[in-house]
């Protein structure tokens, strides 16, 4: 498994309007409705079901230092290129009329080179945005306003449930069947505080329309409104296996939200949303509060669907290169079945009136008993900015302001708060305008009780100072270039561009505003830049700070205090409620509940018959390309350094990676590498302060990041361990990019003790948050560290061992700063050298040729060899079952073993089998029946480690037993050819995942580093395509090693771990983490 540890200024890519991920009080099933699209283990929070807020507004990733374009005075010469309007198939008014639609308006959107047409279905009033362009990654989405009146989680439970069978597809879960056998590039659903989105994407037209049909039928004609079992499974139910046992609550959403309410940052976000908008739908939790979810009745669930899941209340989005007439044809078949309803009026979101005076709220959050709890307070100041919708130019200006204040490590509000020493890290900070009314928040966590008031005062004083003094001209230029570069690049990573645009558009459209406006940023941006030139930045931004923040009485300050008793109190309260429920039941009632529990379990664990599954549309093997996608690659050298070149169209942007070998790094320095990376990005040089250096990167490039990368290499004992410098710029700025890379690597001085102390505090806060929210990632890293050297290296830089190291380092910074500074220099000397270096470049051929001199100059400045000799990496954690204790209401359970140790030799069928195990056995037993939010497996073909993981799981030993039963499941498996074909196609979808040009170049680099040849890729593909039932049976023997010799790691509550160790005498060795 390839591992990277993010630890510095990032290269996060954003689409127009900088969609970025921010924790926000909402819920969605994004990411854990099914396994990752990637064949590697899910390891990042976002891939692990993190509740995220996809936000509009001009703000890039908070750590980014992005920008670009030539500089002309204060601003770049950037402008959107003139684009001839392409010719796309048109839908005439007569044609639209025949299909039941009227054409409302049509525009060419130059920013995304698309023709966009707004249609209205005449019979129901349903609005449709049809966006046509040359993008093969087609997107469909249906969005409904779904405002809840309480915190029972009804929109969230319904979002899960409608995908569990429908009129045309009456199987248990068509969604899972699509996961198994589709080439989708996106397949999921989101629940916002006021709306629910159902998006899909695919590059294959036949596959795309299969997905569209399943989703339309699921939304409008779901089985769940007639099937109480689905409501019980996805929402909540009483579970009683035997009348003599205790009753418990079970349900996928119930356990998901228990996990959400175990994370302090999430609790703070939810309290903030509800406190800042107490009088409308945002005053409750659409995701569901675990205390309130069991109050929801099936009848209320049914009524909510009847009321809001209607075409009159829907907005539908199509995007891509498919036929726009076919879009309307498909829609008319569904929409014509409905009459108009009043749902569009009854679902309208009421405006929150602004407060006449600020308010303050003090709440508790569950905390562990270890550490100094007096220093674990959180404080956040929140403003609701306006009662009325803002015009696009004001939104744009507020986005600029947000980036200026908080967007980079050098931004003044962020810098002053972190340098104050009053807290460990920022929390819930930034501008947000995805809901009806925009808001701004800024806060800190890791604050001592004595400093809570000081943090609040510092926030207000800093904002006043910024309003009075304005911003440095270099900062304004850097922010401008950052924003313009991101707009030009339009890099949404693995997130489909069409979906990013849909979410931008819907942020206005859902409130009955213009859906075109959010897509057209060129003129407002030009006007804003002109204002800054003519009036000065202070005249533009200071009034915004004063009007929307300083003089705004709608301010809510939230203080969160740690409470080591809260988690146990909540568990005791739940237990008491359930005891009263049981006490109120007769023997007959208890027997009936036990019978109903078994009936539900039997239904959950009984697979659909093959003939039923045939109703779900799928592709044929003949639809699948027989060869993998090849990236154009040329291997050469410059002064003896290997250089990989990828000639791809990148819109005049150069993407570059410089890779150094970590083979000379001493073992004891390894845990310092992430902080070394952050120090490179956030300390200054002899001539430049870190603020000046940060701004220079923002003005001249699209961003630079540095990070370590580790992976096992199949067939080799030595791991692949690298240090990567990654950057991007406009082709004309490539020389600046490599000059700045050199400056960061060779000129930054490790002399700022106080900043380094901040880095340690921030890292501790990040790791503690990861433990609570992504415990499965911690468990996976821990198991890998026991089973292979690359895993051990990664865990030292990003797992529990790293957190333990940080706690020790925090004390050492004051005691031995000179020693730490020397160690950072030693890391630099051990890494930087031409010997063993690899350069990777992705751009068009002309740009690749033009930048060779810049690359040569960069390489010539490097030392020839690293200091010190080669080091042998052989570290591993001791093999043992381990339980990591944190304050939580849910568990994260893992088990892993190395199947290569059995003599198993890699075959492409392993990918098909692994995916099938996740989508059937683990989905049904761990998630559907067990009630966990997620259960999946991963096979790391580089190391041979096969691992099982669960996420937000109410169980512990029961889940481990399911893992141990996997071999028998495979031996007893009897799949027909259609099921096998579906599994093969789904696996090819993973292998052929959609990539933008920068990702293609980077993937090619990774294959080079790990020794994966095109011949091997072709062989694996052929093995995937010819997978047979016999392969499944043979794989069972290999996977038994996990049951017999594997290691188990759980991140769980003390109570659940104690129970497990009582049930199986001292099964786990216990480590306290929080």
């Amino acid at each position: 498994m390839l591992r990277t540890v993010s630890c510095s200024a990032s290269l996060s890519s954003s689409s127009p309007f900088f969609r970025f991920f921010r924790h926000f009080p909402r819920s969605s099933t994004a990411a854990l409705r099914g396994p990752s699209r990637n064949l590697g283990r899910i390891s990042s929070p976002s891939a692990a079901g993190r509740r995220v807020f996809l936000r509009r507004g001009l703000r890039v990733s908070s750590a980014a230092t992005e920008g670009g374009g030539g500089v002309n005075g204060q601003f770049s010469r950037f402008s959107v290129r003139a684009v001839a309007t392409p010719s796309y198939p048109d839908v005439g008014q007569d044609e639209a009329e025949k299909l039941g639609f009227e054409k409302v308006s049509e525009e060419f959107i130059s920013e995304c080179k698309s023709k966009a047409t707004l249609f209205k279905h005449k019979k129901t009033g349903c609005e449709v945005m049809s966006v046509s362009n040359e993008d093969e990654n087609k997107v469909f989405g249906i969005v409904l306003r779904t405002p809840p009146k309480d915190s029972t989680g009804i929109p969230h439970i319904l979002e899960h449930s409608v995908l569990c069978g429908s009129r045309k597809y009456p199987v248990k879960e068509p969604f899972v069947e699509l996961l198994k056998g589709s080439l989708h590039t996106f397949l999921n659903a989101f629940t916002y505080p006021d709306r629910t989105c159902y998006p899909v994407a695919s590059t294959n037209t036949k596959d795309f329309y299969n997905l569209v049909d399943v989703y339309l039928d699921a939304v409008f004609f779901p089985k769940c409104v007639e099937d109480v079992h689905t409501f019980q499974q996805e929402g909540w139910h009483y579970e009683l296996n035997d009348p003599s046992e205790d009753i418990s609550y079970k349900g996928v959403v119930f356990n998901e939200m228990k996990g959400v309410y175990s994370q302090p940052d999430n609790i703070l976000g939810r309290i903030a949303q509800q406190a800042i908008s107490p009088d409308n739908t945002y005053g409750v939790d659409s995701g569901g509060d675990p205390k309130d979810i069991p109050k929801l009745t099936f009848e209320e669930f049914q009524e909510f669907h009847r009321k809001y899941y209607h075409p009159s209340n829907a907005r539908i989005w199509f995007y891509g290169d498919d036929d726009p007439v076919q879009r309307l044809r498909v829609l008319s078949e569904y929409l014509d079945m409905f009459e108009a309803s009043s749902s569009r009026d009854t679902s309208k979101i009421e405006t929150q009136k602004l407060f006449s005076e600020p308010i303050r709220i003090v709440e508790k959050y569950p905390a562990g008993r270890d550490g100094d709890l007096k220093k674990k307070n959180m404080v956040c100041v929140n403003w609701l900015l306006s009662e009325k919708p803002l015009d696009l130019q004001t939104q744009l200006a507020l986005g600029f302001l947000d980036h200026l204040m908080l967007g980079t490590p050098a931004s003044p509000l962020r810098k002053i708060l972190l340098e104050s020493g009053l807290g460990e890290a920022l929390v819930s900070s930034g501008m947000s305008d995805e809901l009806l009314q925009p808001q701004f928040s800024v806060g800190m966590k890791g604050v001592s009780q004595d400093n809570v008031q000081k943090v609040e005062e510092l926030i207000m004083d800093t904002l006043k100072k910024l309003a009075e003094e304005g911003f440095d001209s270099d900062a304004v230029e850097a922010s401008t270039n950052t924003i313009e570069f991101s707009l030009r690049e339009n890099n949404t990573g693995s997130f489909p561009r069409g979906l990013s645009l849909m979410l931008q558009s819907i942020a206005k459209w859902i409130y009955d505003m213009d859906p075109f406006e959010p897509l057209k940023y060129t003129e407002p941006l030009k006007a804003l830049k002109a204002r800054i030139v003519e009036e000065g930045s202070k005249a533009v931004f200071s009034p915004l700070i004063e009007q929307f923040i300083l003089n705004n009485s709608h301010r809510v300050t939230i203080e969160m205090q740690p409470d080591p008793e809260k988690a146990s109190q909540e568990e005791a309260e739940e237990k008491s409620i359930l005891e009263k429920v049981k006490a109120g039941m007769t023997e007959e009632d208890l027997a009936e509940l036990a019978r109903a529990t078994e009936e539900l379990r039997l239904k959950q664990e009984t697979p659909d018959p093959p003939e039923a599954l045939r109703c779900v549309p799928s592709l044929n093997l003949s639809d699948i390309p027989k060869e993998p996608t090849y990236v154009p690659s040329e291997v050469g050298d410059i002064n003896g350094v290997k250089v990989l070149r990828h000639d791809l169209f990148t819109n005049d942007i150069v993407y570059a990676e410089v890779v150094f070998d970590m083979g000379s790094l001493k073992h004891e320095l390894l845990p310092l590498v992430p902080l070394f990376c952050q120090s490179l990005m956030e300390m200054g040089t002899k001539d430049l302060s870190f603020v000046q250096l940060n701004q220079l990167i923002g003005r001249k490039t699209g961003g630079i990041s540095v990070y370590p990368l580790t992976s096992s290499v199949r067939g080799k004992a030595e791991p692949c361990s690298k240090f990567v410098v990654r950057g991007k710029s406009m082709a004309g700025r490539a020389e600046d990019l490599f000059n700045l890379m050199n400056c960061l690597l060779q000129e930054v001085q490790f002399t700022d003790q106080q900043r380094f102390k901040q880095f340690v505090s921030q890292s501790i806060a990040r790791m503690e948050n990861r433990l609570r929210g992504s415990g499965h990632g911690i468990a996976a890293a821990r198991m890998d560290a026991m089973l292979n050297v690359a895993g051990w290296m990664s865990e030292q830089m990003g797992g529990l061992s790293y957190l333990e190291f940080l706690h020790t380092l925090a004390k050492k910074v004051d005691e031995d700063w000179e020693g730490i500074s020397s160690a950072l220099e030693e890391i630099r000397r051990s890494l930087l050298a031409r010997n063993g270096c690899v350069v990777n470049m992705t751009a068009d051929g002309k740009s690749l040729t033009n930048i060779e001199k810049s690359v040569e100059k960069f390489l010539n400045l490097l030392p020839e060899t690293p200091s010190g000799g080669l080091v042998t990496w052989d570290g591993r954690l001791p093999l043992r079952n381990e339980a990591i204790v944190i304050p939580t209401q849910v568990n994260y359970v893992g088990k892993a073993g190395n199947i290569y140790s059995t003599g198993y030799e890699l075959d492409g069928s392993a990918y098909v089998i692994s995916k099938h195990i996740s989508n059937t056995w683990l989905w049904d037993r761990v998630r559907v029946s067990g009630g966990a939010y997620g259960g999946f497996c991963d096979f790391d073909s580089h190391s041979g480690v096969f691992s099982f993981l669960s996420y937000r799981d109410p169980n512990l030993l029961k889940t481990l037993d399911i893992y141990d039963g996997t071999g028998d499941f495979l031996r007893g498996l009897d799949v027909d050819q259609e099921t096998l074909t579906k599994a093969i196609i789904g696996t090819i979808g993973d292998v052929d995942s959609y990539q933008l040009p920068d990702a293609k170049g980077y993937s090619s680099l990774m294959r080079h580093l790990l020794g994966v040849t095109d011949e091997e890729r072709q062989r694996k593909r052929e093995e995937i395509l010819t997978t047979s039932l016999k392969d499944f049976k043979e794989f069972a023997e290999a996977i038994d090693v996990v049951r017999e010799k594997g290691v188990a790691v759980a991140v769980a509550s003390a109570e659940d771990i104690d129970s497990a160790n009582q049930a199986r005498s001292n099964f786990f060795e216990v480590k306290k983490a929080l």
Side-chain angles (χ1 to χ4, degrees), residues 769-812:
N769 195 52
R770 187 173 174 226
L771 256 173
R772 291 171 180 269
S774 301
H776 64 301
I778 297 293
R782 201 76 181 165
M783 294 186 298
D784 274 340
M786 298 176 192
L787 294 167
N788 64 83
V789 177
W792 176 81
M793 294 179 71
S794 180
E795 208 269 343
Q796 293 289 308
M797 296 185 287
L800 184 60
S801 296
Y802 181 54
L803 179 58
E804 293 169 342
F805 166 79
L806 290 170
H807 283 302
T808 303
L809 186 65
K811 300 170 186 173
K812 195 177 174 184

Side-chain angles (χ1 to χ4, degrees), residues 78 81 113 487-490 497 648-655 729-731 843-844 997:
F78 174 92
R81 290 178 173 178
K113 299 177 184 176
L487 289 168
R488 176 166 195 154
E489 185 186 26
N490 189 20
R497 282 172 166 162
L648 294 167
F649 174 74
T650 58
N651 202 21
D652 206 30
I653 293 171
V654 169
Y655 298 97
S729 71
M730 302 308 298
D844 63 77

